[in-house]
Amino acid sequence: MTTTPATSTPAAQLARFAAELKYSDIPETVVQKTEDLWVDWFGSAVAGHNARPVASITRFALAMGPQQGPSEVIGPQGATSSPYLAAMANAAASHVAEQDDVHNGSVFHPAAVVFPPAVAVAQALGKSGKDLLTACVAGYEVGIRVGEFLGRSHYKIFHTTGTAGTLASAAAVGHLLGLNAAQMLHAFGSAGTQSAGLWEFLRTAADSKQLHTAHAAGAGLMAAYLARDGFTGAADIFCGPQGMAAGMSTDSDPARLIDGLGTRWATAETSFKWHASCRHTHPAADALLQVMREHRLKVPDIAGVVTHVHQAAIDVLGPVVDPSTVHQSKFSMGTVLALAARHGFAGLTEFDNDYRAQDTMALRDKVSMVLDTEVDTAYPRRWIGKVTVTTTGGRTLHGRVDEPKGDPGNTLSREELTDKALRLGAFCKEVPAVQMQNAVHKLWKVRDWTRVETLLQAV
Amino acid sequence: MTTTPATSTPAAQLARFAAELKYSDIPETVVQKTEDLWVDWFGSAVAGHNARPVASITRFALAMGPQQGPSEVIGPQGATSSPYLAAMANAAASHVAEQDDVHNGSVFHPAAVVFPPAVAVAQALGKSGKDLLTACVAGYEVGIRVGEFLGRSHYKIFHTTGTAGTLASAAAVGHLLGLNAAQMLHAFGSAGTQSAGLWEFLRTAADSKQLHTAHAAGAGLMAAYLARDGFTGAADIFCGPQGMAAGMSTDSDPARLIDGLGTRWATAETSFKWHASCRHTHPAADALLQVMREHRLKVPDIAGVVTHVHQAAIDVLGPVVDPSTVHQSKFSMGTVLALAARHGFAGLTEFDNDYRAQDTMALRDKVSMVLDTEVDTAYPRRWIGKVTVTTTGGRTLHGRVDEPKGDPGNTLSREELTDKALRLGAFCKEVPAVQMQNAVHKLWKVRDWTRVETLLQAV
């Protein structure tokens, strides 16, 4: 049996980085960005906790776990459980409002699969806020690079947040558990061999998206705990001849796994979501808003909108023609553009109230997608928005944004992030505004915490 | 959005079958075979429970679950937990001794991923022995057909017991939970989108095989519970354009999903394992024993053995040249043939005592594999064993078996099955012989049980 010496593989280098990362290694700007992502994540977790699919996963977790535990199940009930089951419930909650963050180049939503397992374990182990932030940066850096490594062919079939998410969770939890580089590599093997998540659910608006984040958080956490206990995993789960790339990608790129490790901070490249919809709709929505602003168009002026998009947008959004649920409508390009045009913003409340309103559906059906070479070539590194609007007056107008709102070059301020989190908290009607305000206020100070206590519940 | 009417797809037909199967539908011979498989499984679960990788998974399960629960964690400690975590621990235990059953056509080990979740849930719900048997037949029929559907290309990269196993577990648990056909289809969607398990771990003899069965049992069980709670899954997780076949196979065959549903009983096609090693080694081991018997060869007479094998044997066993652990040695063609030649049988004790003995390694290194067209064409429906032995005296002799011991045409008697189970129980030195005898005696009467109580622990 011949194996490449483990220390020289990208897998081994990535594992060493994840295991040995220190708070002091992380530039201050990246720490600040991680705090931004942290507060932004919390709003999504609170907003999502009582959505029907999430409530199902939480009921399962609470039924199968202990009655009480060291880890918070985020929600007004103040439930607790073991780290494993709390992580699953909170990961399910984090992804349902379609407001959690996204990394463009990997088309990966890190927050939903990094913060829930990290918080659950940090609470159980009494870790500090700095420990938590460091572990989460490890999770972001690993998950994003695995997503980039798996490539566009992977994303055509697999939900990268589910698949690469197992590695992100394992890295964050493994860091909190103090795994050394060799143990972290075993954790990667155990996480990667549980990597799963197929896009097929989109076709009938099924609930799998929340299951994918729950699964990734739980499987990655389990992989890290097992590694601490001496359980071994494949030495190269990424590039080995029967590993992830062999099974689930045709354009994987091993160099991406270690691209700029320790100098390039992928965490800081992560975008915030402004509209409460699938990220593939955002560039076009912002481009439509841009052209409407520039030419002072009103909704009745719009006769048709052609969105010029990348192939993945067509793959993910194409099947959604007549959305039958509010969640599915977040994957309908027409619905998102209609809500943005009508309200200036496609937020949670706009979706809930109006996704099947007559005016929304009328405008929705005027929107089409075409593949655009410039946009597709720039993707996934850059998400360019381009639309062509024909007006009822017979004009043809072009809208364009080079960075949709929330991208690093067009980011949200801390005030906007606080407002977004409070808006998400208010969307979940069971959490009093003052409780949410206190929690968000406290969360901004995470780096000063001597130990991670409950987030929503006052200690 | 266009979708094929759900009732007409193979997925929907398979779900309906799994949901609506009744005990009275199952031919008596198939019930008897299921009882055989049941007792055979139990021996493996007891033998495996204290293997190092299994103990890690069990520790994790007990730490993350409740202190006590309705479901037995099989072992002398008499631990209990919730169905979810007990199923995971017992599924890990069932696959490690390499003595659990196998279905040839699907290259799938059903027992390890069907009985553990079914028993855990039956204990929690107080189901009868007939309920349990019926649910397990549903699990076997579904898992085997999913394995056949995924095909040989899938098995080259993926461990089918892990991947198809999620569906087998979901079917068995879903049947016990009383899911209707529509709910079962949702459970299939949730199970299939968590389907995972890569062969890469074999290269370094890592522990993932036990994680794969634990994962399949847990993920399938969760999928079924979620479906009962209204959680939806993809309508066609098998054949949809972003489903399992699209992501994980290049030679999938949808017709296999429903091949002879209700008339062809795949459960009864399942083989018992005689040698305690990877099934791919058994045909050649039996062919070697055959030629040694016929020509009265002794070990010193053997100068070389060429095994004529199917491609999957080369894929799975090829990387294992110098096994460094007893578990890895069960994937070494040379080690298995050496132990069989030396002892007439490659059992658990033979492996533990002798897998690195000088004489074993000397003979091991005289064994090679070559691809054989006849064997490869017959595979996986038939597992033909062919060897060519050259003797120290210069003779060239040919050995052949058309059905290795344990296959339906060359099966084990109930006496042999009882002996095998007791031998497996004795291998685990912590379980007293009389306790194991009592348990096996009780297990043979499963169809008469009014409720499924603990198996190893006396009630």
Side-chain angles (χ1 to χ4, degrees), chain B residues 139-339:
Chain B
Y140 270 68
E141 298 295 322
V142 167
I144 289 167
R145 282 179 176 79
V146 173
E148 291 177 332
F149 157 73
L150 290 168
R152 293 178 66 166
S153 66
H154 178 75
Y155 187 80
K156 283 181 85 74
I157 308 285
F158 291 93
H159 180 201
T160 304
T161 301
T163 56
T166 59
L167 280 300
S169 169
V173 173
H175 193 277
L176 286 166
L177 293 177
L179 301 188
N180 63 30
Q183 292 170 318
M184 187 67 85
L185 188 59
H186 287 303
F188 284 5
S190 293
T193 206
Q194 297 180 81
S195 176
L198 296 158
W199 279 124
E200 185 58 28
F201 74 92
L202 281 180
R203 215 160 313 281
T204 49
D207 297 331
S208 311
K209 215 173 187 207
Q210 282 53 258
L211 182 58
H212 292 171
T213 50
H215 174 266
L221 181 150
M222 180 175 180
Y225 273 83
L226 290 178
R228 188 180 63 167
D229 199 29
F231 193 94
T232 61
D236 193 351
I237 198 64
F238 303 120
C239 306
Q242 291 165 306
M244 292 175 74
M248 305 195 283
S249 175
T250 55
D251 67 342
S252 66
D253 179 359
R256 306 295 299 171
L257 286 169
I258 49 171
D259 179 46
L261 264 189
T263 53
R264 171 199 162 207
W265 296 92
T267 308
E269 300 162 0
T270 305
S271 300
F272 303 103
K273 270 189 173 182
W274 187 237
H275 305 291
S277 60
C278 175
R279 185 66 174 177
H280 291 299
T281 64
H282 292 208
D286 285 357
L288 176 62
L289 292 171
Q290 183 270 324
V291 75
M292 288 178 72
R293 265 196 310 274
E294 185 178 333
H295 298 279
R296 303 191 178 195
L297 297 181
K298 293 195 162 43
V299 170
D301 302 327
I302 301 174
V305 182
V306 177
T307 63
H308 307 272
V309 300
H310 49 286
Q311 183 61 44
I314 294 171
D315 294 340
V316 173
L317 311 174
V320 185
V321 177
D322 182 19
S324 59
T325 67
V326 64
H327 187 257
Q328 194 182 30
S329 77
K330 296 173 178 185
F331 293 80
S332 155
M333 181 68 96
T335 303
V336 176
L337 264 60
L339 292 174

Side-chain angles (χ1 to χ4, degrees), chain B residues 67-121:
Chain B
Q67 290 292 308
Q68 288 188 308
S71 303
E72 176 183 15
V73 177
I74 295 171
Q77 297 84 357
T80 58
S81 188
S82 67
Y84 180 54
L85 295 161
M88 286 174 60
N90 294 336
S94 302
H95 204 40
V96 70
E98 292 291 339
Q99 286 271 266
D100 53 316
D101 61 21
V102 59
H103 181 271
N104 286 343
S106 53
V107 205
F108 172 67
H109 301 279
V113 289
V114 169
F115 289 117
V119 166
V121 172

Side-chain angles (χ1 to χ4, degrees), chain A residues 297-317:
Chain A
L297 298 181
K298 294 197 161 45
V299 170
D301 300 327
I302 300 174
V305 181
V306 177
T307 64
H308 306 272
V309 299
H310 49 287
Q311 183 61 45
I314 294 170
D315 293 341
V316 173
L317 310 174

Side-chain angles (χ1 to χ4, degrees), chain A residues 15-26:
Chain A
R16 178 170 297 281
F17 172 82
E20 297 180 357
L21 182 68
K22 291 195 220 32
Y23 183 80
S24 57
D25 297 335
I26 309 170

Side-chain angles (χ1 to χ4, degrees), chain B residues 36-69:
Chain B
D36 292 354
L37 296 164
W38 160 248
V39 170
D40 187 63
W41 158 73
F42 181 67
S44 284
V46 174
H49 88 275
N50 62 354
R52 180 189 51 75
V54 177
S56 280
I57 290 173
T58 302
R59 269 193 293 276
F60 177 80
L62 293 176
M64 295 298 168
Q67 290 292 308
Q68 288 188 308

Side-chain angles (χ1 to χ4, degrees), chain A residues 156-182:
Chain A
K156 284 181 83 75
I157 308 284
F158 291 93
H159 180 201
T160 303
T161 301
T163 56
T166 60
L167 279 301
S169 169
V173 173
H175 194 278
L176 287 166
L177 292 176
L179 301 189
N180 64 30

Side-chain angles (χ1 to χ4, degrees), chain A residues 117-418:
Chain A
V119 166
V121 173
Q123 289 173 339
L125 302 180
K127 290 285 181 173
S128 73
K130 285 193 174 72
D131 293 337
L132 176 66
L133 289 169
T134 310
C136 291
V137 170
Y140 270 69
E141 297 296 322
V142 167
I144 289 167
R145 283 179 176 79
V146 173
E148 291 178 331
F149 157 73
L150 290 168
R152 293 179 67 165
S153 66
H154 178 74
Y155 187 80
K156 284 181 83 75
I157 308 284
F158 291 93
H159 180 201
T160 303
T161 301
T163 56
T166 60
L167 279 301
S169 169
V173 173
H175 194 278
L176 287 166
L177 292 176
L179 301 189
N180 64 30
Q183 292 170 317
M184 186 67 85
L185 188 60
H186 287 303
F188 283 4
S190 293
T193 206
Q194 297 180 82
S195 176
L198 296 158
W199 280 124
E200 185 58 29
F201 75 92
L202 281 180
R203 215 159 313 282
T204 49
D207 297 331
S208 311
K209 216 174 185 206
Q210 282 54 258
L211 182 57
H212 292 171
T213 50
H215 175 266
L221 181 151
M222 180 175 181
Y225 272 83
L226 290 178
R228 188 180 62 165
D229 200 27
F231 193 95
T232 62
D236 193 352
I237 198 64
F238 302 120
C239 306
Q242 290 165 307
M244 292 175 75
M248 306 194 284
S249 174
T250 55
D251 66 343
S252 65
D253 179 0
R256 305 296 299 172
L257 286 169
I258 48 171
D259 179 47
L261 264 189
T263 52
R264 170 197 161 208
W265 295 91
T267 308
E269 299 162 1
T270 305
S271 301
F272 302 103
K273 270 188 171 182
W274 186 237
H275 306 289
S277 60
C278 174
R279 184 67 173 176
H280 292 299
T281 64
H282 292 209
D286 285 356
L288 176 62
L289 291 172
Q290 183 270 322
V291 74
M292 288 178 73
R293 264 196 311 274
E294 183 177 336
H295 297 280
R296 303 194 178 194
L297 298 181
K298 294 197 161 45
V299 170
D301 300 327
I302 300 174
V305 181
V306 177
T307 64
H308 306 272
V309 299
H310 49 287
Q311 183 61 45
I314 294 170
D315 293 341
V316 173
L317 310 174
V320 185
V321 178
D322 183 19
S324 58
T325 67
V326 65
H327 187 257
Q328 195 183 30
S329 77
K330 296 173 180 185
F331 294 80
S332 155
M333 181 67 97
T335 303
V336 176
L337 266 59
L339 291 174
R342 293 184 61 214
H343 302 289
F345 166 67
L348 285 178
T349 309
E350 288 73 16
F351 272 103
D352 267 22
N353 293 345
D354 266 2
Y355 84 100
R356 285 191 73 82
Q358 209 59 46
D359 289 351
T360 303
M361 293 200 293
L363 187 48
R364 175 193 84 193
D365 294 340
K366 294 176 182 163
V367 175
S368 62
M369 287 189 283
V370 296
L371 182 65
D372 184 275
T373 306
E374 182 201 8
V375 174
D376 193 56
T377 306
Y379 174 88
R381 289 269 186 159
R382 293 169 53 221
W383 294 47
I384 301 169
K386 282 165 71 174
V387 296
T388 302
V389 176
T390 50
T391 68
T392 46
R395 288 189 294 168
T396 300
L397 306 172
H398 299 284
R400 180 184 181 105
V401 293
D402 282 285
E403 291 201 80
K405 187 165 175 72
D407 263 20
N410 187 12
T411 196
L412 307 188
S413 67
R414 287 205 161 185
E415 195 177 347
E416 284 176 313
L417 287 166
T418 298

